[in-house]
């Protein structure tokens, strides 16, 4: 049943500093409301227990995509539509653009934000595996100042993350990388569009002189958090690709992940698909 709307409050601060001041005064009272595409689903279902929201949608400090020599920095309010149409993101971070293209439908892509996807912390979200594979950093801001953390350290358990209630996610920073990288992103769902992932696989790799010089692999929907698969990366790094390495990497991945069993899919299916995608990624890397 839909929630009783008059029992909710939505306040729109005019500036970031006003928003941070309000969060600092009583940080358990207010929660951020960005695009609202996750929050409104809960509201409609009568399952949104928290009542007081700060509308951050109009804060310019949380918007915009900045490009420097070293980084591309996306304001937390960057929408999926903005991601897909940004030329440098399309050229250098194609997996993020693909994740954006495969997230919801056009209405969700126009309104849903990258920051909301991260902080909502669903293990089945589609952008986090790409962000982990790109070794993203997060910029968190509070009245006391700002701090940066590597994204792979952000999620600590189901819906648990390294963010205080008086903080906002301000930006997501992507280190720019050499353009010979292989980018490999697959979202596996029940159907091609408007599906929640059963498995989401993102990986980048770089071959030098016939060996894997660098590799980063991340998966969604296979653990309580979006997971960077470090053991699997270690099994592959500095190796020549041959059948034994493929087996070693698949063994490492099977050890490293513990796929969930839920109404969308079984544990066995998720494991099998993850291993097949890993092999497909390694084959693609080797073809480069
Ligand atoms: C029909 C439909 C289809 C969808 N399909 C997909 C899909 O295919 N893949 C996918 O990954 N997701 C999907 N989603 C989920 C959703 O659209 C995304 O997670 C979206 O990115 C959330 O962003 P938002 O700005 O709307 O977040 P909101 O709903 O505004 O907020 C979500 C959470 O993040 C917090 N928050 C938001 N921004 C900040 C910030 N800057 N700082 C601190 N906290 C913040 C809020 O307090 C809230 O807890 C779908 C949703 C719907 C309704």
């Amino acid at each position: 049943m839909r929630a009783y709307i008059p029992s909710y409050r939505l306040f729109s601060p005019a500036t970031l500093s006003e928003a941070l001041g309000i969060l600092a005064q009583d940080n358990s009272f207010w929660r951020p409301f960005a695009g609202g595409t996750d929050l409104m689903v809960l509201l409609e279902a009568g399952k949104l227990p928290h009542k007081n929201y700060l509308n951050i949608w109009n804060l310019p400090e949380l918007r915009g995509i900045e490009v420097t020599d070293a980084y591309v920095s996306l304001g937390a309010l960057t929408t999926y539509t903005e991601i897909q149409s940004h030329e440098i993101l399309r050229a250098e971070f194609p997996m993020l653009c693909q994740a954006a293209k495969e997230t919801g439908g056009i209405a969700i892509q126009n309104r849903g934000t990258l920051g909301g996807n991260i902080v909502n912390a669903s293990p089945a979200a589609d952008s986090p595996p790409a962000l982990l594979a790109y070794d993203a950093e997060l910029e968190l801001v509070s009245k006391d100042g700002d701090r940066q953390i590597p994204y792979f350290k952000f999620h600590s358990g189901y819906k648990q993350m390294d963010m205080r209630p008086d903080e906002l996610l301000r930006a997501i920073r992507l280190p720019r990388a050499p353009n010979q990288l292989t980018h490999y992103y697959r979202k596996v769902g029940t159907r091609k569009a408007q599906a929640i992932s059963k498995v989401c696989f993102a990986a980048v790799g770089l071959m030098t002189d016939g060996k894997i010089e660098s590799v980063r692999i991340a998966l969604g929907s296979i653990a309580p958090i979006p997971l960077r698969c470090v053991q699997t990366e270690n099994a592959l790094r500095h190796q020549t690709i041959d059948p034994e390495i493929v087996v070693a990497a698949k063994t490492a991945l099977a050890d490293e992940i513990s796929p969930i069993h839920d109404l969308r899919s079984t544990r066995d299916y998720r494991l099998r698909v993850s291993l097949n995608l890993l092999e497909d990624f390694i084959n693609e890397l080797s073809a480069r």
Side-chain angles (χ1 to χ4, degrees):
M1 204 176 78
R2 196 178 193 202
Y4 179 62
I5 303 295
S7 68
Y8 289 86
R9 274 218 283 178
L10 185 69
F11 177 72
S12 299
T15 61
L16 177 61
S17 115
E18 187 186 3
L20 297 177
I22 293 169
L23 287 175
Q25 268 169 26
D26 189 347
N27 58 42
S28 55
F29 189 75
W30 296 101
R31 288 207 187 145
F33 189 105
T37 61
D38 278 312
L39 291 172
M40 289 303 287
V41 172
L42 297 174
L43 182 87
E44 282 294 316
K47 291 180 180 164
L48 187 62
H50 196 83
K51 301 282 181 185
N52 303 295
Y53 290 90
L54 276 189
N55 173 20
I56 58 173
W57 182 257
N58 296 317
L59 301 181
E61 298 90 338
L62 271 56
R63 288 208 170 275
I65 301 176
E66 284 167 29
V67 181
T68 68
D69 287 347
Y71 293 98
V72 177
S73 178
L74 298 94
L77 293 173
T78 303
T79 64
Y80 297 110
T81 302
E82 288 165 338
I83 290 172
Q84 288 173 71
S85 60
H86 195 275
E87 257 179 52
I88 291 180
L89 289 176
R90 285 157 70 118
E92 296 182 23
F93 301 97
M95 299 195 299
L96 185 60
C97 296
Q98 197 179 334
K101 193 172 163 204
E102 295 186 27
T103 294
I106 288 172
I108 293 296
Q109 292 172 15
N110 283 339
R111 183 76 195 180
T113 66
L114 188 58
N117 201 229
I118 292 170
V119 180
N120 188 56
S122 162
D126 293 318
S127 300
L131 296 174
L132 286 169
Y134 286 137
D135 209 14
E137 291 167 14
L138 304 184
E139 184 187 325
L140 300 165
V141 63
S142 73
K143 197 161 179 251
D144 298 335
D146 55 352
R147 65 184 176 107
Q148 271 83 28
I149 54 164
Y151 180 46
F152 80 90
K153 292 193 171 162
F154 184 66
H155 300 288
S156 52
Y158 180 69
K159 301 259 177 190
Q160 305 290 309
M161 61 208 103
D162 180 4
M163 191 173 73
R164 302 191 310 265
D166 67 329
E167 287 181 312
L168 288 174
L169 175 57
R170 203 205 70 75
I172 300 99
R173 214 156 70 156
L174 302 172
R176 298 179 76 179
N179 55 13
Q180 312 88 319
L181 279 183
T182 296
H183 307 249
Y184 181 97
Y185 181 89
R186 297 288 184 280
K187 167 175 174 168
V188 178
T190 306
R191 53 189 187 188
K192 247 194 147 1
Q194 298 269 33
I196 301 179
S197 295
K198 295 180 180 189
V199 173
C200 181
F201 186 107
V204 290
L206 180 66
M207 296 294 288
T208 306
D209 300 331
K211 289 194 171 167
I212 301 173
E213 183 182 317
S214 68
V215 60
R216 284 191 300 273
I217 299 169
L219 275 92
S221 284
I222 48 77
I225 59 171
L227 198 69
R228 172 102 177 259
C229 299
V230 179
Q231 284 177 42
T232 312
E233 294 172 6
N234 290 342
L236 286 168
R237 197 174 298 107
H238 306 313
Q239 303 295 328
T240 309
I241 297 175
D242 60 24
E244 280 105 80
I245 277 304
V246 175
V247 171
K250 287 170 86 171
T251 306
L253 187 64
D255 263 7
E256 192 163 23
I257 63 176
S258 52
I260 45 176
H261 184 103
D262 64 8
L263 65 120
R264 284 198 303 281
S265 189
T266 64
R267 182 187 186 284
D268 290 348
Y269 178 83
R270 285 187 162 109
L271 180 61
R272 172 82 66 94
V273 169
S274 304
L275 297 177
N276 288 349
L277 292 174
L278 175 65
E279 184 165 353
D280 199 37
F281 162 62
I282 298 171
N283 288 339
E284 214 165 275
L285 195 56
S286 137
R288 283 291 287 264

